[in-house]
Amino acid sequence: MSDIILSMPFLLQGAVITLQVTVLSAVFGTIIGTIFGMGRLSKAPFLRIPSSIYIEFVRGTPLLVQIYIIYFGLPSIGIDFPPFTAAVVALSINAGAYTAEIVRAGIQSISRGQTEAARSLGMTVWQTMRYIILPQAFRNILPALGNEFIALTKESSLVSVIGIAELTRQGQYIISRTFKSFEIYGGVAIVYFAITFTLAQLVNWVEKKVTIK
Amino acid sequence: MSTIISIRNLHKRFGHLEVLKGIDLELQKGEVMVVIGPSGGGKSTMLRCINHLEKYEKGEIYFKDVLLHEKRVNMNEYRMKMGMVFQQFNLFPHRTVIDNLMLSPLKVKKMDPAEVKEKALNLLKRIGLSEKASAYPINLSGGQQQRVAISRALMMDPELMLFDEPTSALDPELVGEVLEVMKQLAREGMTMIVVTHEMGFAREVGHRMILIDDGLIVEEATPTDFFQNPKSERTKEFLRKVL
Ligand SMILES: Nc1ncnc2c1ncn2[C@@H]1O[C@H](COP(=O)(O)OP(=O)(O)OP(=O)(O)O)[C@@H](O)[C@H]1O
Ligand SMILES: [Mg+2]
Protein backbone atom coordinates (compact mmCIF):
# COMPACT_ATOMS: atom_id res chain seq x y z
CA MET A 1 0.00 0.00 0.00
CA SER A 2 2.70 2.46 0.99
CA ASP A 3 4.42 1.76 -2.32
CA ILE A 4 1.37 2.92 -4.15
CA ILE A 5 1.18 6.09 -2.08
CA LEU A 6 4.88 6.81 -2.51
CA SER A 7 4.72 6.23 -6.24
CA MET A 8 1.62 8.37 -6.70
CA PRO A 9 3.47 11.61 -7.56
CA PHE A 10 5.33 9.79 -10.34
CA LEU A 11 2.15 8.19 -11.58
CA LEU A 12 0.45 11.55 -11.60
CA GLN A 13 3.30 12.98 -13.65
CA GLY A 14 2.66 10.15 -16.08
CA ALA A 15 -1.04 10.85 -15.97
CA VAL A 16 -0.40 14.43 -17.06
CA ILE A 17 1.50 13.17 -20.11
CA THR A 18 -1.26 10.66 -20.80
CA LEU A 19 -3.79 13.47 -20.67
CA GLN A 20 -1.71 15.67 -22.96
CA VAL A 21 -1.31 12.91 -25.53
CA THR A 22 -4.96 11.93 -25.30
CA VAL A 23 -6.45 15.41 -25.46
CA LEU A 24 -4.27 16.45 -28.40
CA SER A 25 -5.08 13.23 -30.25
CA ALA A 26 -8.77 13.60 -29.47
CA VAL A 27 -8.79 17.12 -30.90
CA PHE A 28 -6.84 16.20 -34.04
CA GLY A 29 -8.73 12.93 -34.33
CA THR A 30 -12.03 14.77 -34.28
CA ILE A 31 -10.87 17.20 -36.95
CA ILE A 32 -9.52 14.39 -39.13
CA GLY A 33 -12.62 12.30 -38.45
CA THR A 34 -14.96 15.12 -39.44
CA ILE A 35 -13.12 15.72 -42.69
CA PHE A 36 -12.90 12.05 -43.66
CA GLY A 37 -16.39 11.26 -42.39
CA MET A 38 -17.72 13.88 -44.79
CA GLY A 39 -15.27 12.68 -47.44
CA ARG A 40 -16.64 9.17 -47.27
CA LEU A 41 -20.14 10.49 -47.95
CA SER A 42 -19.05 12.69 -50.81
CA LYS A 43 -20.44 12.15 -54.28
CA ALA A 44 -16.98 12.89 -55.72
CA PRO A 45 -14.92 9.70 -56.12
CA PHE A 46 -11.63 11.56 -55.63
CA LEU A 47 -12.78 12.42 -52.10
CA ARG A 48 -14.75 9.30 -51.32
CA ILE A 49 -12.25 6.64 -52.34
CA PRO A 50 -9.19 7.97 -50.46
CA SER A 51 -11.39 8.52 -47.40
CA SER A 52 -12.62 4.94 -47.50
CA ILE A 53 -9.11 3.58 -47.97
CA TYR A 54 -7.77 5.56 -45.02
CA ILE A 55 -10.63 4.56 -42.73
CA GLU A 56 -10.59 0.88 -43.64
CA PHE A 57 -6.82 0.56 -43.55
CA VAL A 58 -6.41 2.17 -40.15
CA ARG A 59 -9.30 0.24 -38.65
CA GLY A 60 -7.96 -2.99 -40.10
CA THR A 61 -4.45 -2.76 -38.67
CA PRO A 62 -3.18 -2.80 -35.05
CA LEU A 63 -2.48 0.50 -33.35
CA LEU A 64 0.83 -0.85 -32.11
CA VAL A 65 1.97 -1.44 -35.69
CA GLN A 66 0.79 2.04 -36.65
CA ILE A 67 2.88 3.53 -33.85
CA TYR A 68 5.90 1.53 -35.05
CA ILE A 69 5.39 2.74 -38.62
CA ILE A 70 5.18 6.39 -37.56
CA TYR A 71 8.09 6.30 -35.14
CA PHE A 72 10.46 3.68 -36.56
CA GLY A 73 9.34 3.49 -40.18
CA LEU A 74 8.92 7.07 -41.32
CA PRO A 75 12.50 8.17 -40.52
CA SER A 76 13.71 5.89 -43.34
CA ILE A 77 11.81 8.10 -45.79
CA GLY A 78 13.06 11.24 -44.14
CA ILE A 79 10.21 12.02 -41.73
CA ASP A 80 11.68 11.92 -38.26
CA PHE A 81 9.27 12.87 -35.46
CA PRO A 82 10.37 13.23 -31.87
CA PRO A 83 8.66 10.62 -29.66
CA PHE A 84 5.90 12.84 -28.30
CA THR A 85 4.97 14.12 -31.75
CA ALA A 86 5.07 10.60 -33.16
CA ALA A 87 2.77 9.45 -30.38
CA VAL A 88 0.24 12.21 -31.06
CA VAL A 89 0.44 11.69 -34.83
CA ALA A 90 -0.13 7.94 -34.54
CA LEU A 91 -3.01 8.24 -32.08
CA SER A 92 -4.62 11.07 -34.07
CA ILE A 93 -4.51 9.09 -37.28
CA ASN A 94 -5.93 6.09 -35.46
CA ALA A 95 -8.66 8.02 -33.65
CA GLY A 96 -9.43 9.92 -36.86
CA ALA A 97 -10.44 6.74 -38.65
CA TYR A 98 -12.80 5.59 -35.91
CA THR A 99 -14.19 9.08 -35.46
CA ALA A 100 -14.77 9.34 -39.21
CA GLU A 101 -17.12 6.37 -39.04
CA ILE A 102 -18.94 7.92 -36.08
CA VAL A 103 -19.25 11.25 -37.88
CA ARG A 104 -20.47 9.52 -41.03
CA ALA A 105 -23.22 7.77 -39.08
CA GLY A 106 -24.07 11.08 -37.41
CA ILE A 107 -24.44 12.89 -40.71
CA GLN A 108 -26.55 10.07 -42.11
CA SER A 109 -28.85 10.25 -39.09
CA ILE A 110 -30.00 13.75 -40.10
CA SER A 111 -33.05 13.62 -42.34
CA ARG A 112 -32.77 14.64 -45.96
CA GLY A 113 -35.42 17.26 -45.36
CA GLN A 114 -32.92 19.29 -43.35
CA THR A 115 -30.54 19.49 -46.29
CA GLU A 116 -33.38 20.31 -48.65
CA ALA A 117 -34.71 23.08 -46.43
CA ALA A 118 -31.24 24.60 -46.11
CA ARG A 119 -30.53 24.38 -49.84
CA SER A 120 -33.94 25.83 -50.66
CA LEU A 121 -32.95 28.87 -48.59
CA GLY A 122 -29.94 29.42 -50.83
CA MET A 123 -27.29 27.81 -48.65
CA THR A 124 -24.36 26.15 -50.39
CA VAL A 125 -23.46 22.54 -49.69
CA TRP A 126 -20.79 23.73 -47.31
CA GLN A 127 -23.03 26.20 -45.44
CA THR A 128 -25.61 23.46 -45.08
CA MET A 129 -22.98 21.17 -43.54
CA ARG A 130 -21.64 23.79 -41.24
CA TYR A 131 -24.81 25.39 -39.92
CA ILE A 132 -27.40 22.64 -40.26
CA ILE A 133 -26.02 19.13 -40.54
CA LEU A 134 -22.86 19.03 -38.43
CA PRO A 135 -24.31 20.79 -35.36
CA GLN A 136 -27.16 18.30 -35.26
CA ALA A 137 -24.93 15.35 -36.11
CA PHE A 138 -22.52 16.15 -33.28
CA ARG A 139 -25.37 16.30 -30.80
CA ASN A 140 -26.46 12.86 -31.88
CA ILE A 141 -23.01 11.28 -31.80
CA LEU A 142 -21.88 12.74 -28.51
CA PRO A 143 -22.20 9.43 -26.62
CA ALA A 144 -20.29 7.58 -29.33
CA LEU A 145 -17.60 10.24 -29.38
CA GLY A 146 -17.34 9.97 -25.59
CA ASN A 147 -16.76 6.22 -25.91
CA GLU A 148 -14.14 6.84 -28.55
CA PHE A 149 -12.27 9.29 -26.31
CA ILE A 150 -12.40 6.82 -23.43
CA ALA A 151 -11.00 4.12 -25.69
CA LEU A 152 -8.33 6.55 -26.82
CA THR A 153 -7.30 7.26 -23.23
CA LYS A 154 -6.77 3.57 -22.64
CA GLU A 155 -5.04 2.94 -25.95
CA SER A 156 -2.63 5.79 -25.32
CA SER A 157 -0.83 3.39 -22.97
CA LEU A 158 0.60 1.78 -26.11
CA VAL A 159 2.81 4.80 -26.80
CA SER A 160 4.89 3.71 -23.81
CA VAL A 161 6.66 1.47 -26.32
CA ILE A 162 8.35 4.46 -27.92
CA GLY A 163 9.57 5.81 -24.60
CA ILE A 164 6.90 8.39 -23.78
CA ALA A 165 6.87 8.81 -20.00
CA GLU A 166 3.14 8.50 -19.77
CA LEU A 167 1.22 6.67 -17.09
CA THR A 168 2.00 3.09 -18.08
CA ARG A 169 5.65 3.84 -18.74
CA GLN A 170 6.01 5.58 -15.38
CA GLY A 171 4.54 2.51 -13.75
CA GLN A 172 7.13 0.34 -15.48
CA TYR A 173 9.95 2.60 -14.23
CA ILE A 174 8.75 2.38 -10.67
CA ILE A 175 8.38 -1.38 -10.87
CA SER A 176 11.91 -1.72 -12.23
CA ARG A 177 13.08 -0.12 -8.99
CA THR A 178 10.62 -1.50 -6.43
CA PHE A 179 9.62 -4.84 -8.04
CA LYS A 180 6.06 -4.31 -6.76
CA SER A 181 4.26 -5.18 -9.98
CA PHE A 182 0.87 -5.86 -8.48
CA GLU A 183 0.63 -2.73 -6.39
CA ILE A 184 2.05 -0.37 -8.99
CA TYR A 185 0.08 -1.68 -11.94
CA GLY A 186 -2.92 -1.61 -9.65
CA GLY A 187 -2.21 2.05 -8.99
CA VAL A 188 -1.79 2.67 -12.71
CA ALA A 189 -5.16 1.07 -13.38
CA ILE A 190 -6.81 3.19 -10.71
CA VAL A 191 -5.44 6.39 -12.25
CA TYR A 192 -6.66 5.33 -15.73
CA PHE A 193 -10.04 4.60 -14.25
CA ALA A 194 -10.17 7.97 -12.53
CA ILE A 195 -9.53 9.65 -15.88
CA THR A 196 -12.03 7.62 -17.89
CA PHE A 197 -14.68 7.87 -15.18
CA THR A 198 -14.32 11.66 -15.07
CA LEU A 199 -14.45 11.78 -18.85
CA ALA A 200 -17.65 9.74 -18.89
CA GLN A 201 -19.26 12.12 -16.39
CA LEU A 202 -18.12 15.06 -18.46
CA VAL A 203 -19.69 13.61 -21.58
CA ASN A 204 -22.94 13.02 -19.70
CA TRP A 205 -22.93 16.58 -18.50
CA VAL A 206 -22.29 18.03 -21.96
CA GLU A 207 -24.99 15.78 -23.38
CA LYS A 208 -27.56 17.12 -20.91
CA LYS A 209 -26.37 20.63 -21.59
CA VAL A 210 -26.96 20.46 -25.35
CA THR A 211 -30.26 18.61 -25.25
CA ILE A 212 -33.01 20.86 -26.56
CA LYS A 213 -35.80 21.22 -24.06
CA MET B 1 -47.88 40.35 -67.27
CA SER B 2 -44.46 38.84 -67.07
CA THR B 3 -43.52 35.20 -66.97
CA ILE B 4 -41.65 34.03 -63.88
CA ILE B 5 -41.31 30.34 -64.56
CA SER B 6 -41.55 28.51 -67.81
CA ILE B 7 -41.04 24.82 -68.13
CA ARG B 8 -40.52 23.16 -71.52
CA ASN B 9 -40.78 19.45 -72.09
CA LEU B 10 -39.46 18.47 -68.67
CA HIS B 11 -38.48 14.83 -68.26
CA LYS B 12 -37.26 13.24 -65.07
CA ARG B 13 -36.55 9.65 -64.22
CA PHE B 14 -35.42 7.79 -61.12
CA GLY B 15 -33.49 4.85 -62.52
CA HIS B 16 -35.93 2.99 -64.75
CA LEU B 17 -38.94 4.86 -63.45
CA GLU B 18 -39.94 7.78 -65.64
CA VAL B 19 -41.65 10.17 -63.27
CA LEU B 20 -42.09 13.27 -65.43
CA LYS B 21 -42.86 12.60 -69.08
CA GLY B 22 -42.84 16.03 -70.68
CA ILE B 23 -44.21 18.84 -68.55
CA ASP B 24 -44.92 22.23 -70.14
CA LEU B 25 -45.91 25.09 -67.92
CA GLU B 26 -45.92 28.88 -67.77
CA LEU B 27 -46.38 30.81 -64.60
CA GLN B 28 -47.05 34.55 -64.60
CA LYS B 29 -46.02 36.96 -61.92
CA GLY B 30 -48.68 37.18 -59.23
CA GLU B 31 -50.33 33.98 -60.28
CA VAL B 32 -51.48 31.33 -57.81
CA MET B 33 -51.31 27.92 -59.40
CA VAL B 34 -52.80 24.95 -57.62
CA VAL B 35 -51.49 21.50 -58.49
CA ILE B 36 -53.42 18.38 -57.69
CA GLY B 37 -53.25 14.77 -58.76
CA PRO B 38 -53.00 11.21 -57.52
CA SER B 39 -50.17 10.04 -55.31
CA GLY B 40 -47.00 9.22 -57.21
CA GLY B 41 -48.05 11.33 -60.18
CA GLY B 42 -44.95 13.51 -59.99
CA LYS B 43 -46.20 16.69 -58.29
CA SER B 44 -43.42 16.90 -55.72
CA THR B 45 -40.84 15.94 -58.30
CA MET B 46 -41.94 18.80 -60.53
CA LEU B 47 -41.64 21.32 -57.69
CA ARG B 48 -38.24 19.96 -56.72
CA CYS B 49 -37.04 20.21 -60.31
CA ILE B 50 -38.10 23.86 -60.44
CA ASN B 51 -35.70 24.84 -57.68
CA HIS B 52 -33.21 22.17 -58.71
CA LEU B 53 -33.27 20.12 -55.56
CA GLU B 54 -33.61 17.41 -58.16
CA LYS B 55 -31.68 17.15 -61.42
CA TYR B 56 -33.52 16.27 -64.61
CA GLU B 57 -32.24 14.79 -67.81
CA LYS B 58 -34.32 16.53 -70.44
CA GLY B 59 -36.15 19.78 -70.95
CA GLU B 60 -35.72 23.37 -69.87
CA ILE B 61 -36.75 25.45 -66.92
CA TYR B 62 -36.49 29.21 -67.16
CA PHE B 63 -36.66 31.65 -64.28
CA LYS B 64 -37.74 34.81 -66.07
CA ASP B 65 -35.38 34.56 -69.04
CA VAL B 66 -32.60 32.63 -67.36
CA LEU B 67 -32.15 29.01 -68.39
CA LEU B 68 -31.46 27.50 -64.99
CA HIS B 69 -29.52 24.37 -65.86
CA GLU B 70 -26.80 26.30 -67.68
CA LYS B 71 -23.36 25.89 -66.14
CA ARG B 72 -22.80 29.59 -65.51
CA VAL B 73 -25.99 29.91 -63.45
CA ASN B 74 -25.35 29.88 -59.71
CA MET B 75 -28.35 27.90 -58.57
CA ASN B 76 -27.94 28.97 -54.93
CA GLU B 77 -28.78 32.49 -56.00
CA TYR B 78 -31.94 31.35 -57.75
CA ARG B 79 -33.08 29.04 -54.97
CA MET B 80 -33.24 32.11 -52.74
CA LYS B 81 -35.73 33.62 -55.11
CA MET B 82 -37.96 30.57 -54.81
CA GLY B 83 -39.12 29.91 -51.28
CA MET B 84 -40.10 26.33 -50.57
CA VAL B 85 -42.44 24.97 -47.94
CA PHE B 86 -42.40 21.25 -47.22
CA GLN B 87 -44.99 18.81 -46.00
CA GLN B 88 -42.80 17.96 -43.00
CA PHE B 89 -41.99 21.63 -42.18
CA ASN B 90 -38.26 20.87 -41.92
CA LEU B 91 -37.52 23.56 -39.39
CA PHE B 92 -34.00 23.41 -37.99
CA PRO B 93 -34.54 21.72 -34.61
CA HIS B 94 -31.28 22.95 -33.08
CA ARG B 95 -32.16 26.58 -33.66
CA THR B 96 -34.79 28.74 -32.02
CA VAL B 97 -37.70 30.01 -34.06
CA ILE B 98 -36.13 33.40 -34.63
CA ASP B 99 -32.78 31.83 -35.52
CA ASN B 100 -34.56 29.65 -38.06
CA LEU B 101 -35.76 32.85 -39.68
CA MET B 102 -32.49 34.73 -39.38
CA LEU B 103 -29.93 32.11 -40.32
CA SER B 104 -30.08 32.30 -44.09
CA PRO B 105 -30.37 36.10 -44.41
CA LEU B 106 -27.34 36.40 -42.13
CA LYS B 107 -25.15 33.66 -43.55
CA VAL B 108 -26.19 33.61 -47.18
CA LYS B 109 -27.18 37.20 -47.87
CA LYS B 110 -24.80 38.61 -45.22
CA MET B 111 -27.41 41.16 -44.23
CA ASP B 112 -27.13 43.45 -41.26
CA PRO B 113 -28.10 41.54 -38.04
CA ALA B 114 -30.22 44.34 -36.59
CA GLU B 115 -32.15 44.69 -39.82
CA VAL B 116 -32.65 40.92 -40.11
CA LYS B 117 -33.88 40.69 -36.56
CA GLU B 118 -36.41 43.44 -37.05
CA LYS B 119 -37.67 41.79 -40.19
CA ALA B 120 -37.94 38.43 -38.45
CA LEU B 121 -39.84 39.91 -35.52
CA ASN B 122 -42.23 41.63 -37.91
CA LEU B 123 -42.92 38.40 -39.75
CA LEU B 124 -43.48 36.53 -36.50
CA LYS B 125 -45.88 39.21 -35.40
CA ARG B 126 -47.83 38.87 -38.62
CA ILE B 127 -48.34 35.16 -38.04
CA GLY B 128 -49.11 35.79 -34.38
CA LEU B 129 -46.10 33.95 -32.98
CA SER B 130 -44.11 36.78 -31.45
CA GLU B 131 -44.04 35.10 -28.07
CA LYS B 132 -42.50 31.96 -29.60
CA ALA B 133 -39.45 33.75 -30.98
CA SER B 134 -37.02 32.09 -28.60
CA ALA B 135 -38.78 28.72 -28.43
CA TYR B 136 -37.36 25.64 -30.14
CA PRO B 137 -39.41 24.11 -32.96
CA ILE B 138 -40.05 20.95 -30.94
CA ASN B 139 -42.21 22.98 -28.57
CA LEU B 140 -44.50 24.25 -31.32
CA SER B 141 -47.63 22.64 -32.71
CA GLY B 142 -47.51 21.44 -36.31
CA GLY B 143 -49.54 24.41 -37.46
CA GLN B 144 -47.22 26.83 -35.71
CA GLN B 145 -44.18 25.07 -37.16
CA GLN B 146 -45.54 25.33 -40.66
CA ARG B 147 -46.32 29.03 -40.23
CA VAL B 148 -42.76 29.54 -39.03
CA ALA B 149 -41.49 27.59 -42.04
CA ILE B 150 -43.45 29.88 -44.37
CA SER B 151 -42.02 32.94 -42.63
CA ARG B 152 -38.54 31.50 -42.86
CA ALA B 153 -38.92 31.24 -46.62
CA LEU B 154 -40.32 34.77 -46.81
CA MET B 155 -37.26 36.14 -45.02
CA MET B 156 -35.34 35.72 -48.27
CA ASP B 157 -37.81 37.96 -50.15
CA PRO B 158 -38.62 35.26 -52.71
CA GLU B 159 -40.30 36.14 -55.97
CA LEU B 160 -42.06 32.81 -56.03
CA MET B 161 -43.21 30.39 -53.36
CA LEU B 162 -43.43 26.64 -53.83
CA PHE B 163 -45.68 24.71 -51.44
CA ASP B 164 -45.57 20.92 -51.36
CA GLU B 165 -48.66 19.71 -49.53
CA PRO B 166 -48.09 22.15 -46.69
CA THR B 167 -51.10 20.99 -44.69
CA SER B 168 -51.03 17.24 -45.31
CA ALA B 169 -49.05 16.42 -42.16
CA LEU B 170 -51.28 18.51 -39.90
CA ASP B 171 -54.09 17.53 -37.60
CA PRO B 172 -57.33 18.71 -39.20
CA GLU B 173 -57.92 21.42 -36.63
CA LEU B 174 -54.54 23.02 -37.46
CA VAL B 175 -55.00 23.15 -41.23
CA GLY B 176 -57.01 26.38 -41.16
CA GLU B 177 -54.36 28.57 -39.54
CA VAL B 178 -51.78 27.58 -42.17
CA LEU B 179 -54.17 28.05 -45.07
CA GLU B 180 -55.06 31.46 -43.69
CA VAL B 181 -51.40 32.56 -43.88
CA MET B 182 -51.17 31.22 -47.42
CA LYS B 183 -54.36 32.96 -48.52
CA GLN B 184 -53.12 36.21 -47.07
CA LEU B 185 -49.92 35.76 -49.06
CA ALA B 186 -51.88 35.07 -52.22
CA ARG B 187 -54.00 38.18 -51.75
CA GLU B 188 -50.87 40.26 -51.35
CA GLY B 189 -49.88 39.18 -54.83
CA MET B 190 -47.26 36.53 -54.12
CA THR B 191 -46.62 34.20 -57.04
CA MET B 192 -47.28 30.67 -55.83
CA ILE B 193 -47.32 27.07 -56.93
CA VAL B 194 -49.25 25.07 -54.39
CA VAL B 195 -49.55 21.30 -54.37
CA THR B 196 -52.55 20.64 -52.18
CA HIS B 197 -55.75 18.72 -51.83
CA GLU B 198 -57.47 21.65 -50.13
CA MET B 199 -60.07 22.42 -52.76
CA GLY B 200 -61.47 25.32 -50.75
CA PHE B 201 -58.11 27.04 -51.00
CA ALA B 202 -58.02 26.44 -54.74
CA ARG B 203 -61.49 27.91 -55.23
CA GLU B 204 -60.86 30.88 -53.02
CA VAL B 205 -57.48 32.16 -54.15
CA GLY B 206 -56.37 29.93 -57.05
CA HIS B 207 -56.06 31.49 -60.50
CA ARG B 208 -55.29 28.32 -62.36
CA MET B 209 -55.36 24.62 -61.63
CA ILE B 210 -53.44 21.77 -63.10
CA LEU B 211 -53.83 18.06 -62.60
CA ILE B 212 -50.71 15.95 -62.90
CA ASP B 213 -51.14 12.25 -63.40
CA ASP B 214 -48.51 9.75 -64.40
CA GLY B 215 -45.94 12.43 -65.17
CA LEU B 216 -48.11 14.56 -67.44
CA ILE B 217 -50.36 17.57 -67.06
CA VAL B 218 -53.74 16.13 -67.99
CA GLU B 219 -55.88 19.16 -67.24
CA GLU B 220 -55.23 22.86 -66.99
CA ALA B 221 -58.04 25.31 -66.30
CA THR B 222 -59.33 28.07 -64.08
CA PRO B 223 -60.69 26.70 -60.80
CA THR B 224 -64.27 27.31 -61.93
CA ASP B 225 -63.84 25.41 -65.19
CA PHE B 226 -61.75 22.78 -63.49
CA PHE B 227 -64.48 21.85 -61.05
CA GLN B 228 -67.50 22.49 -63.27
CA ASN B 229 -66.50 21.21 -66.69
CA PRO B 230 -63.33 19.16 -66.56
CA LYS B 231 -62.35 17.95 -69.98
CA SER B 232 -60.26 14.90 -69.22
CA GLU B 233 -61.70 11.61 -68.00
CA ARG B 234 -58.91 11.33 -65.45
CA THR B 235 -59.81 14.68 -63.95
CA LYS B 236 -63.42 13.66 -63.63
CA GLU B 237 -62.40 10.45 -61.95
CA PHE B 238 -60.01 12.26 -59.63
CA LEU B 239 -62.62 14.84 -58.67
CA ARG B 240 -65.14 12.10 -57.88
CA LYS B 241 -62.65 10.71 -55.39
CA VAL B 242 -61.61 13.89 -53.63
CA LEU B 243 -64.82 15.89 -53.54
N1 LIG C 1 -35.62 10.01 -54.74
C1 LIG C 1 -36.40 9.13 -55.38
N2 LIG C 1 -35.89 7.97 -55.80
C2 LIG C 1 -36.66 7.08 -56.47
N3 LIG C 1 -37.94 7.27 -56.76
C3 LIG C 1 -38.51 8.42 -56.38
C4 LIG C 1 -37.77 9.41 -55.65
N4 LIG C 1 -38.59 10.44 -55.40
C5 LIG C 1 -39.79 10.11 -55.93
N5 LIG C 1 -39.75 8.91 -56.51
C6 LIG C 1 -40.86 8.25 -57.22
O1 LIG C 1 -41.33 9.13 -58.20
C7 LIG C 1 -42.74 9.03 -58.33
C8 LIG C 1 -43.34 10.41 -58.22
O2 LIG C 1 -43.12 10.88 -56.92
P1 LIG C 1 -43.64 12.29 -56.43
O3 LIG C 1 -43.21 12.40 -55.01
O4 LIG C 1 -43.22 13.35 -57.36
O5 LIG C 1 -45.20 12.11 -56.50
P2 LIG C 1 -46.34 13.05 -55.92
O6 LIG C 1 -47.24 13.36 -57.06
O7 LIG C 1 -45.74 14.17 -55.20
O8 LIG C 1 -47.07 12.08 -54.93
P3 LIG C 1 -47.68 12.32 -53.47
O9 LIG C 1 -49.06 12.85 -53.65
O10 LIG C 1 -47.69 10.95 -52.87
O11 LIG C 1 -46.76 13.26 -52.76
C9 LIG C 1 -43.19 8.06 -57.27
O12 LIG C 1 -43.39 6.82 -57.88
C10 LIG C 1 -42.04 8.00 -56.32
O13 LIG C 1 -41.96 6.72 -55.73
MG1 LIG D 1 -45.60 14.70 -53.13
Side-chain angles (χ1 to χ4, degrees):
Chain A
M1 193 66 208
S2 64
D3 285 313
I4 298 183
I5 291 165
L6 284 177
S7 62
M8 263 300 157
F10 300 99
L11 292 186
L12 289 180
Q13 273 173 27
V16 170
I17 309 282
T18 290
L19 277 175
Q20 286 173 347
V21 171
T22 307
V23 169
L24 283 173
S25 307
V27 170
F28 291 128
T30 305
I31 295 169
I32 296 171
T34 306
I35 293 168
F36 285 88
M38 290 191 292
R40 193 163 201 184
L41 290 172
S42 170
K43 286 203 189 85
F46 73 96
L47 294 173
R48 192 179 63 241
I49 293 169
S51 302
S52 300
I53 292 174
Y54 158 67
I55 292 167
E56 292 308 330
F57 185 77
V58 171
R59 294 200 321 152
T61 52
L63 174 57
L64 190 57
V65 174
Q66 293 163 11
I67 295 170
Y68 284 152
I69 292 174
I70 303 286
Y71 187 64
F72 297 115
L74 287 188
S76 69
I77 57 163
I79 306 171
D80 201 348
F81 292 124
F84 186 83
T85 311
V88 171
V89 169
L91 284 175
S92 299
I93 289 175
N94 185 269
Y98 288 93
T99 309
E101 283 298 89
I102 297 173
V103 170
R104 179 179 66 87
I107 293 172
Q108 284 176 320
S109 73
I110 308 302
S111 83
R112 209 172 129 207
Q114 290 289 304
T115 305
E116 293 183 346
R119 297 305 304 275
S120 78
L121 289 164
M123 287 189 209
T124 60
V125 175
W126 173 240
Q127 287 169 329
T128 302
M129 260 298 159
R130 169 153 173 220
Y131 299 114
I132 308 303
I133 307 302
L134 288 182
Q136 295 186 60
F138 271 93
R139 275 187 174 75
N140 292 353
I141 63 178
L142 215 59
L145 276 183
N147 285 339
E148 173 55 27
F149 295 157
I150 286 169
L152 187 62
T153 309
K154 295 182 288 182
E155 281 163 1
S156 74
S157 70
L158 283 176
V159 303
S160 60
V161 299
I162 56 171
I164 309 284
E166 45 67 76
L167 188 47
T168 305
R169 183 77 173 184
Q170 287 290 66
Q172 288 164 350
Y173 275 141
I174 297 164
I175 291 163
S176 68
R177 275 185 260 114
T178 61
F179 303 104
K180 301 263 161 106
S181 301
F182 181 72
E183 293 86 340
I184 302 302
Y185 278 137
V188 166
I190 288 168
V191 177
Y192 273 116
F193 182 71
I195 297 174
T196 54
F197 184 77
T198 311
L199 188 55
Q201 301 312 306
L202 193 71
V203 171
N204 273 340
W205 179 78
V206 174
E207 219 184 312
K208 284 213 184 76
K209 194 97 181 149
V210 300
T211 303
I212 293 158
K213 282 180 273 322
Chain B
M1 285 235 266
S2 61
T3 307
I4 276 206
I5 290 286
S6 57
I7 303 177
R8 312 258 167 82
N9 195 29
L10 179 65
H11 287 255
K12 165 72 187 171
R13 53 167 70 242
F14 291 107
H16 293 299
L17 182 69
E18 191 168 32
V19 175
L20 299 179
K21 303 176 177 173
I23 298 276
D24 290 277
L25 194 69
E26 296 258 313
L27 186 73
Q28 307 301 320
K29 190 165 176 49
E31 199 176 6
V32 176
M33 176 179 280
V34 174
V35 182
I36 63 171
S39 179
K43 308 179 294 296
S44 301
T45 305
M46 182 187 79
L47 280 196
R48 297 154 53 80
C49 283
I50 292 176
N51 71 356
H52 288 61
L53 284 178
E54 211 74 75
K55 289 203 181 78
Y56 44 91
E57 43 285 324
K58 200 167 137 201
E60 288 104 48
I61 300 177
Y62 291 85
F63 184 89
K64 295 182 174 167
D65 48 11
V66 179
L67 181 55
L68 291 177
H69 70 235
E70 283 199 330
K71 269 269 179 297
R72 61 184 174 78
V73 172
N74 177 1
M75 205 45 226
N76 296 321
E77 238 166 73
Y78 284 88
R79 282 202 195 91
M80 277 187 246
K81 301 177 199 281
M82 313 183 218
M84 187 156 194
V85 176
F86 303 84
Q87 186 173 345
Q88 301 299 336
F89 330 134
N90 294 341
L91 290 181
F92 306 134
H94 62 303
R95 296 276 186 156
T96 59
V97 164
I98 191 143
D99 281 350
N100 264 271
L101 266 64
M102 291 174 62
L103 191 62
S104 222
L106 289 180
K107 303 298 179 189
V108 178
K109 283 194 169 174
K110 314 258 188 261
M111 284 168 68
D112 170 55
E115 191 186 325
V116 173
K117 182 155 193 189
E118 190 186 325
K119 189 170 173 177
L121 288 172
N122 278 336
L123 273 173
L124 287 179
K125 197 163 162 189
R126 263 188 49 181
I127 58 168
L129 289 177
S130 297
E131 80 282 9
K132 297 286 184 193
S134 50
Y136 282 93
I138 195 175
N139 296 318
L140 268 55
S141 73
Q144 291 172 331
Q145 287 192 48
Q146 194 60 299
R147 281 143 66 201
V148 171
I150 295 171
S151 308
R152 179 177 68 178
L154 292 175
M155 284 295 288
M156 302 302 277
D157 291 320
E159 297 183 45
L160 160 72
M161 287 283 284
L162 308 170
F163 291 86
D164 193 0
E165 305 204 33
T167 57
S168 298
L170 296 174
D171 293 336
E173 72 272 19
L174 300 177
V175 169
E177 61 188 65
V178 172
L179 288 180
E180 209 38 61
V181 172
M182 292 168 60
K183 285 177 195 166
Q184 181 67 25
L185 211 52
R187 289 190 198 102
E188 287 166 11
M190 176 61 79
T191 313
M192 298 160 69
I193 303 181
V194 185
V195 177
T196 184
H197 296 292
E198 295 293 332
M199 297 304 143
F201 175 86
R203 282 206 183 89
E204 210 172 314
V205 295
H207 299 125
R208 194 147 49 110
M209 295 195 64
I210 61 174
L211 185 133
I212 294 184
D213 186 10
D214 200 16
L216 286 169
I217 296 179
V218 295
E219 183 100 25
E220 181 170 351
T222 63
T224 318
D225 285 344
F226 191 94
F227 291 114
Q228 280 164 14
N229 17 334
K231 291 187 278 296
S232 131
E233 262 322 301
R234 285 204 253 182
T235 311
K236 289 176 195 163
E237 193 190 317
F238 185 77
L239 287 175
R240 268 198 300 277
K241 277 187 208 144
V242 297
L243 291 182

